Amino acid sequence: MSADERSREKRGRDESEAQEALDDETIREAVEQSSRGVPAAGAVVRDRFSADEIFHRIVAAADDEITTGIRELFFSALAAGFAITLTFMLYASLTDGTGGAPIVGALLYPLGFVYIIIGDYQLFTENTLPPVALVLERLASVPALLTVWTIVLFGNLLGGALGAYVLANTGVFSPSVMSTAVGIAEQGVAMPWSSLFFKGVFAGLIVAGVVWLDYASQDTTARLVLVYVAFLAIPLGNLYHGVVSATEVLFLVFRDELALATGAIDFALPVLLGNAVGGVLLVTVVNYFQAVEREYQEQHYQLTFRELCFGRFARGDYSPPPRDD
């Protein structure tokens, strides 16, 4: 074989390998891109997202969330509220079983949150991030956001009430665990309103931060570790989560240990408000302003200020993504 023939053969092999590499990259890009253009891999480093890419993924998820039907949203929230009962049940049981050791007693506290976030259920504090991002982008109105929050919170509270009733009246707890559970719930009720509020703020920061980091994760193992470690910080930091606190209040009510109005106003309400403030102001807004490339915003019609404030009453409640022709 002549030198020219060998050179042509080598050049042909190089061109064939280059074409195969290009085909592989094209296939990879197609797989790693959703129908809405949301990245499934980082542009600079494939296994790491930038703040802009995380924000893009969150807004896309919020699009689906805010258009979910009321029935689906409610039953997802109901399941999340009942799953939170696991957190209270295991926290009380393990605390009693270890003689009140605070660190050991908290080890199973995150289990209910693991169920909720990995299972993609709707939790009120989890909703402080995606829908708010839509409002900040002027793609959804404030009334639309409040509607989602109301449905989710109602479903969470009802699910928590069902779980609290079971724990209080069906013998799930032994007498000693029952006494421990009542003691845990009464500790929160005895705290000052302002202390509960600020403890709720820091818990809201943790929860909304988990949501942001969750969209930066690409595999279930990383998400599981993230959720477990983050929510373990709530009992270890002596903080309070709104839906857990409401479940504790309802547990005391069903045990005839507390009046509903007293528990709701003096315990559950300040914690819920603190969670919302911590999630919205300290995490969502800060993360929003660190994401500077608004690619997703350019694909939508932005609501006017009147539509943003008044929603459907101003003929605009939500700006859907454009359809592919």
Side-chain angles (χ1 to χ4, degrees):
M1 182 182 293
S2 66
D4 289 342
E5 289 175 338
R6 286 196 300 271
S7 177
R8 283 196 298 271
E9 183 179 351
K10 182 178 183 301
R11 187 164 54 250
R13 285 198 305 269
D14 291 342
E15 290 176 353
S16 177
E17 291 173 357
Q19 184 61 46
E20 289 178 1
L22 180 61
D23 292 342
D24 289 344
E25 186 65 24
T26 302
I27 293 172
R28 184 181 295 116
E29 289 178 355
V31 171
E32 293 178 346
Q33 200 82 356
S34 79
S35 60
R36 295 188 180 180
V38 181
V44 179
V45 180
R46 185 168 297 278
D47 62 349
R48 183 175 182 179
F49 293 109
S50 67
D52 297 309
E53 290 167 335
I54 297 171
F55 181 80
H56 198 172
R57 288 161 63 88
I58 287 173
V59 173
D63 261 327
D64 289 331
E65 185 174 301
I66 210 160
T67 55
T68 300
I70 293 176
R71 183 184 64 182
E72 292 85 354
L73 201 61
F74 169 75
F75 280 102
S76 179
L78 184 71
F82 196 83
I84 281 294
T85 308
L86 294 175
T87 286
F88 179 52
M89 179 187 72
L90 294 172
Y91 186 35
S93 298
L94 200 56
T95 299
D96 180 75
T98 56
I103 295 179
V104 179
L107 289 178
L108 294 181
Y109 181 93
L111 185 60
F113 296 98
V114 170
Y115 270 76
I116 291 166
I117 295 180
I118 302 298
D120 200 26
Y121 296 132
Q122 295 291 328
L123 186 66
F124 172 70
T125 46
E126 184 189 6
N127 278 270
T128 57
L129 184 55
V132 172
L134 284 181
V135 173
L136 292 173
E137 284 288 84
R138 291 171 64 174
L139 304 178
S141 68
V142 173
L145 169 68
L146 295 178
T147 298
V148 171
W149 279 9
T150 301
I151 295 170
V152 170
L153 181 58
F154 179 71
N156 289 164
L157 294 179
L158 183 57
L162 293 173
Y165 180 83
V166 171
L167 294 180
N169 294 285
T170 60
V172 173
F173 283 156
S174 66
S176 62
V177 176
M178 183 71 74
S179 177
T180 300
V182 169
I184 290 173
E186 287 179 339
Q187 287 177 6
V189 176
M191 284 192 177
W193 208 94
S194 59
S195 297
L196 290 169
F197 173 78
F198 286 106
K199 286 176 179 290
V201 167
F202 279 97
L205 185 155
I206 291 173
V207 174
V210 167
V211 176
W212 179 268
L213 295 175
D214 181 40
Y215 284 98
S217 304
Q218 293 182 285
D219 62 83
T220 302
T221 301
R223 297 174 69 202
L224 179 62
V225 173
L226 166 69
V227 172
Y228 179 82
V229 173
F231 282 100
L232 184 62
I234 292 179
L236 294 184
N238 195 26
L239 306 177
Y240 289 96
H241 182 275
V243 181
V244 178
S245 298
T247 301
E248 293 176 3
V249 165
L250 292 166
F251 173 77
L252 290 178
V253 170
F254 292 133
R255 291 290 301 171
D256 293 326
E257 303 278 352
L258 182 70
L260 178 60
T262 301
I265 296 173
D266 293 345
F267 185 23
L269 181 60
V271 175
L272 281 169
L273 290 177
N275 288 168
V277 170
V280 173
L281 294 182
L282 299 183
V283 175
T284 305
V285 174
V286 171
N287 286 336
Y288 172 79
F289 284 109
Q290 73 166 322
V292 295
E293 295 182 11
R294 307 291 184 212
E295 295 178 4
Y296 205 78
Q297 186 185 71
E298 297 171 0
Q299 302 172 20
H300 290 65
Y301 157 77
Q302 285 186 273
L303 302 180
T304 66
F305 181 75
R306 180 180 173 84
E307 291 170 335
L308 181 68
C309 294
F310 299 103
R312 67 189 63 181
F313 299 105
R315 299 184 180 179
D317 201 44
Y318 167 69
S319 174
R323 293 180 299 178
D324 294 331
D325 295 330

